Amino acid sequence: MNAIHATAATSPDDMLKSREWTSNFISGPAALPISFTYDEKAITGLPEDWRPSSTRRRIDANISETVFEGSDAATGLNVKVECTIYHDFPVVEWIAWFTNNGRETTPIIRDILAIDGPIGGADPIVYHCNGDYRSDECYEPVETPLNTGETLEFAPVGGRPCDHAFPYYRVMFEGCGLTMAIGWPGQWSVDFRRTAEGIHIRSGQEKTNLCLQPGETIRTPRITLLSWTGDATRAVNLWRRWYLTHILPRPKGQPLRPLLACSGTDEGKEFTDATEENQLKYIEKTRQHGLQLDVWWIDAGWYPCYVEELGKRTWSRTVGTWVPDPERFPNGFKAISDAAARSGADLLLWFEPERVYKGTRIDKEHPEWLLRREGNDDRLLNLALPECRQWLTDHVCRLIRENGIKIYRQDFNFVDDAGTEPLQFWRENEDPDRQGMNENLHAQGYLQYYDDLLERNPGLWIDSCAGGGRRNDFETLRRSVPLHITDHAYGDHPVKLAYHRTLFEWMPYFKSSSSAYDIHGKARYDYDVDSYAFHCGMAAMLHPSLDIRRDDYDYALANRMINIWRRASESILYGDYYPLTPFHRSPNGWVARQFDRPERGSGFIQGFRFPESPDEKFTIHPKEISSDATYAFENPESGENTEISGEDLSREGFTFALPKRGAAIWFYQRKT
């Protein structure tokens, strides 16, 4: 195996380390890493007197599942733990389910932890991040060494799992490490405590103090662990490869490919001025300008949204009436989706079903389905109720089928309009002996809703949004992709590229745009076609921020940059990722990154000189270079071509020379 293949591929050492650590967890029922307190008795794993059993099945050639199950004979509480092992990657994951099979209400179950166990290793460092909350400071990675006895604690704010916290962690030991994802679309918590032997991890739904009525079931978050040997960079690319192999959605049986998204609105906020007529016109104009779109995007405001007291349409105060506005879309969206299809594109449509504003259809017709807070005009649709979820599923599936919707986009805004988070709706509507129940059942209903949409609409895929990127936990991302990673800094390039640096490590598929705040401020559309901004917007999905109503753009330049993005996008999605500069947001610095396809011996390096950087040149050292090979480099913008030996690249590096506010991409191919 040559050097270019060795870094990211799963190694025997990875698998050995995985077996070493996970054998402590799933060697038997008593060793399961769950813990809880039941009727004031602390329980770890499945006790022997619960008569635990286990069954194992092979899901496919690379995945097996073992189910451990036991019951308390006195009360009928059943606990089932589903453990999944991946045989092609060093990954194990599990969920625990608690069901009352008895005839009476159970005693109190509290402090349920999905993981409560030790990991051995020397000198632990915890890699963590602060998630998304509409700030320049978002997505900041931090490395925290732990000394014996110290504890790090994390939890999101307000019930959305990536709000001020990030449910993805790496624990680095000497020569090896563990990556952990917490799959919970609500309020989780985790703590890492340094011990003499290594580290002890505890994580679960943040608050559980509840009894179960007969027939009721709750569940824990899904815990996913990936073991690795080597350094954190290697951990990143093992995770990306496992994600692409086993997690990335596969509509129509094929993994998502890079896509170009386009849209067109008039002057209204969001899509409140969109009509059937102007959408058809803008799709045709997009085609005429040579933009080969893959997705036609319609966001918030397509439903009846005129507010009499305001004298205008507003998207945020009218969610809860999920029908196309008959005034603007008298025929629904079928003509629009058909026109998009003729241009080679799928229709994306935005929804926000969980937030229901007062006076809308659901509020009037089904008040029993809503959780309320005193003095708040928003209500929370209670997906814990099967009849509510079934109605929503049937209604949305009908809209999808009748209107040709191929991409379902779901948002989840509360803090944006009312200063109130979903967690308050859940907790303030619970009795003291049911704390955590509303959230748990809502999370189950939400995930089941996604599962049902996907099952009933073959080829559909889902975009996860929650006031930006605030609900991208790993259970959500098993069913969707996070196209909209934040509601902030679309065109603030140093901040946006800092976000990208973190997110490329965890979520290979997301959207970016060509917005440029440093030229014309926070404008809705680009004022001109800006190659630098296109460079800064490269991700698996690209959305050019062009006002399609205009004919005076340099569309030839736009299409050249889109073609460069298309060439790069396969490596962005499927390549190994190497950030070549430290995380920073400074406008007076440089950023460089590399995406490498080791199996093909190809990839690209990209450099960005920010507007205030005084350095005209910047030298980087590409990763995974074979010293005995030669590399052919090509700059598609300038037309330059050069060949550099691997020995020279390793010793002297590659130097970018750029003007202020400049960027360049160099594609390379290893020559034998």
Side-chain angles (χ1 to χ4, degrees):
M1 180 179 292
N2 63 38
I4 205 164
H5 288 273
T7 294
T10 300
S11 73
D13 288 343
D14 298 323
M15 305 307 288
L16 285 171
K17 181 56 68 175
S18 179
R19 286 195 290 271
E20 173 191 333
W21 279 336
T22 59
S23 64
N24 296 330
F25 293 156
I26 58 175
S27 57
L32 292 168
I34 66 167
S35 71
F36 56 100
T37 297
Y38 186 47
D39 198 15
E40 296 308 315
K41 180 182 178 181
I43 296 175
T44 300
L46 294 179
E48 185 176 346
D49 60 358
W50 285 33
R51 303 185 67 179
S53 63
S54 65
T55 58
R56 186 175 184 273
R57 68 186 180 105
R58 195 83 180 201
I59 296 175
D60 61 27
N62 292 312
I63 305 174
S64 61
E65 179 188 70
T66 302
V67 177
F68 299 91
E69 191 167 0
S71 296
D72 176 40
T75 64
L77 178 66
N78 174 271
V79 177
K80 179 172 64 175
V81 184
E82 299 170 345
C83 300
T84 304
I85 294 179
Y86 294 81
H87 300 283
D88 54 343
F89 286 88
V91 174
V92 62
E93 53 188 8
W94 63 87
I95 307 172
W97 300 83
F98 293 70
T99 301
N100 182 1
N101 287 334
R103 297 181 178 180
E104 305 292 336
T105 301
T106 67
I108 292 293
I109 314 167
R110 62 177 173 84
D111 302 331
I112 303 170
L113 294 174
I115 181 171
D116 183 2
I119 301 290
D123 302 324
I125 300 173
V126 179
Y127 292 67
H128 52 97
C129 174
N130 59 353
D132 179 43
Y133 50 98
R134 194 182 287 175
S135 164
D136 287 1
E137 309 302 314
C138 294
Y139 293 119
E140 180 170 4
V142 179
E143 303 174 19
T144 303
L146 278 182
N147 298 315
T148 301
E150 292 181 340
T151 300
L152 277 176
E153 299 177 347
F154 303 96
V157 170
R160 291 180 293 184
C162 300
D163 196 342
H164 286 78
F166 202 55
Y168 301 88
Y169 296 89
R170 285 190 297 272
V171 181
M172 179 75 183
F173 298 107
E174 187 177 303
C176 61
L178 187 75
T179 296
M180 183 175 80
I182 303 165
W184 188 246
Q187 186 73 9
W188 52 271
S189 65
V190 66
D191 63 68
F192 301 88
R193 178 171 57 86
R194 172 72 187 274
T195 66
E197 295 77 23
I199 199 165
H200 193 102
I201 306 174
R202 293 161 29 100
S203 180
Q205 183 180 343
E206 183 182 59
K207 186 174 185 179
T208 48
N209 186 84
L210 51 87
C211 57
L212 291 180
Q213 297 169 1
E216 285 188 324
T217 297
I218 59 172
R219 57 159 287 183
T220 66
R222 179 191 296 267
I223 300 297
T224 301
L225 301 180
L226 179 147
S227 308
W228 38 274
T229 55
D231 60 13
T233 299
R234 189 161 185 281
V236 165
N237 288 313
L238 269 179
W239 175 267
R240 282 175 57 93
R241 288 188 173 215
W242 175 70
Y243 187 111
L244 292 166
T245 301
H246 291 288
I247 304 302
L248 185 71
R250 283 165 168 73
K252 301 178 182 178
Q254 298 297 318
L256 280 177
R257 59 185 178 84
L259 298 169
L260 183 74
C262 297
S263 61
T265 70
D266 277 294
E267 299 302 326
K269 184 71 172 178
E270 295 291 334
F271 282 69
T272 57
D273 280 354
T275 66
E276 177 180 323
E277 179 184 10
N278 64 35
Q279 294 303 290
L280 293 173
K281 179 173 65 176
Y282 299 151
I283 291 172
E284 175 59 21
K285 289 197 71 173
T286 301
R287 187 193 64 79
Q288 291 173 357
H289 290 306
L291 302 177
Q292 298 299 308
L293 69 157
D294 302 304
V295 173
W296 187 255
W297 189 299
I298 297 180
D299 216 279
W302 52 267
Y303 37 84
C305 59
Y306 185 82
V307 177
E308 194 73 39
E309 64 187 87
L310 298 178
K312 64 178 182 179
R313 298 188 191 98
T314 176
W315 70 270
S316 62
R317 292 179 55 176
T318 46
V319 291
T321 303
W322 298 111
V323 295
D325 186 344
E327 179 182 339
R328 294 178 292 139
F329 301 100
N331 305 303
F333 297 104
K334 191 62 170 66
I336 298 170
S337 63
D338 286 347
R342 289 192 294 272
S343 293
D346 290 336
L347 176 63
L348 175 150
L349 194 65
W350 179 97
F351 291 80
E352 193 188 1
E354 292 160 287
R355 187 171 65 89
V356 177
Y357 201 79
K358 69 173 183 178
T360 56
R361 176 180 172 181
I362 296 176
D363 184 43
K364 291 178 179 178
E365 295 182 2
H366 292 287
E368 74 278 11
W369 291 351
L370 304 175
L371 298 178
R372 292 173 167 78
R373 296 190 72 242
E374 185 68 30
N376 198 294
D377 292 334
D378 280 325
R379 292 87 165 90
L380 178 64
L381 188 68
N382 190 1
L383 293 181
L385 302 174
E387 64 274 19
C388 167
R389 178 175 55 79
Q390 191 61 56
W391 176 90
L392 179 66
T393 303
D394 292 342
H395 181 73
V396 172
C397 283
R398 185 165 55 251
L399 286 171
I400 289 170
R401 183 178 64 253
E402 293 176 352
N403 293 281
I405 300 163
K406 301 299 183 183
I407 306 162
Y408 171 86
R409 170 171 165 78
Q410 180 158 317
D411 211 335
F412 193 31
N413 296 294
F414 272 89
V415 67
D416 298 336
D417 294 327
T420 303
E421 294 85 5
L423 188 62
Q424 295 168 296
F425 284 84
W426 290 323
R427 290 185 176 176
E428 292 178 15
N429 285 280
E430 292 174 325
D431 293 329
D433 63 351
R434 299 280 279 178
Q435 290 293 300
M437 198 69 188
N438 280 340
E439 176 190 342
N440 199 289
L441 295 181
H442 187 105
Q444 291 185 59
Y446 157 77
L447 295 172
Q448 187 62 56
Y449 172 60
Y450 273 16
D451 289 341
D452 291 343
L453 288 185
L454 294 169
E455 181 180 356
R456 290 174 55 174
N457 301 279
L460 182 79
W461 54 282
I462 296 173
D463 165 27
S464 167
C465 180
R470 301 189 220 198
R471 187 161 62 175
N472 289 327
D473 67 287
F474 209 45
E475 279 289 67
T476 294
L477 294 194
R478 300 180 86 87
R479 299 158 171 85
S480 64
V481 291
L483 298 184
H484 198 66
I485 56 173
T486 186
D487 271 339
H488 186 72
Y490 308 122
D492 186 333
H493 300 127
V495 173
K496 180 166 75 172
L497 288 178
Y499 292 171
H500 288 188
R501 187 191 190 281
T502 296
L503 288 167
F504 280 133
E505 296 186 355
W506 294 106
M507 303 171 186
Y509 205 107
F510 60 86
K511 172 184 67 67
S512 192
S513 73
S514 62
S515 294
Y517 291 172
D518 56 339
I519 298 179
H520 299 289
K522 295 183 179 181
R524 182 171 184 177
Y525 297 110
D526 298 340
Y527 278 72
D528 49 34
V529 176
D530 177 14
S531 62
Y532 174 75
F534 269 86
H535 274 283
C536 295
M538 289 190 183
M541 178 180 279
L542 173 63
H543 192 303
S545 305
L546 302 177
D547 184 351
I548 204 64
R549 297 172 296 180
R550 288 176 47 186
D551 296 319
D552 58 344
Y553 282 128
D554 186 346
Y555 282 104
L557 176 58
N559 279 302
R560 284 199 299 275
M561 295 308 301
I562 289 169
N563 288 336
I564 292 171
W565 162 77
R566 286 199 186 276
R567 183 175 173 186
S569 62
E570 292 289 328
S571 294
I572 290 173
L573 180 55
Y574 294 113
D576 292 336
Y577 168 57
Y578 299 98
L580 301 176
T581 46
F583 179 92
H584 75 88
R585 310 182 191 89
S586 172
N588 61 9
W590 280 71
V591 162
R593 62 194 184 192
Q594 176 185 2
F595 288 89
D596 182 67
R597 307 287 299 274
E599 295 83 0
R600 302 183 180 187
S602 64
F604 71 83
I605 54 175
Q606 194 173 19
F608 306 83
R609 182 184 176 188
F610 290 152
E612 298 175 26
S613 171
D615 300 319
E616 297 179 358
K617 295 182 178 181
F618 191 77
T619 299
I620 55 97
H621 288 80
K623 304 296 184 180
E624 301 312 304
I625 296 299
S626 295
S627 59
D628 58 351
T630 298
Y631 292 84
F633 283 82
E634 175 198 356
N635 183 325
E637 287 183 274
S638 67
E640 295 173 84
N641 291 275
T642 187
E643 291 189 0
I644 308 175
S645 71
E647 183 177 357
D648 286 345
L649 279 171
S650 299
R651 184 178 62 250
E652 300 175 10
F654 184 99
T655 298
F656 288 92
L658 293 170
K660 288 185 176 181
R661 200 179 181 279
I665 187 169
W666 288 85
F667 294 96
Y668 61 81
Q669 177 66 56
R670 188 169 73 97
K671 301 178 68 176
T672 55

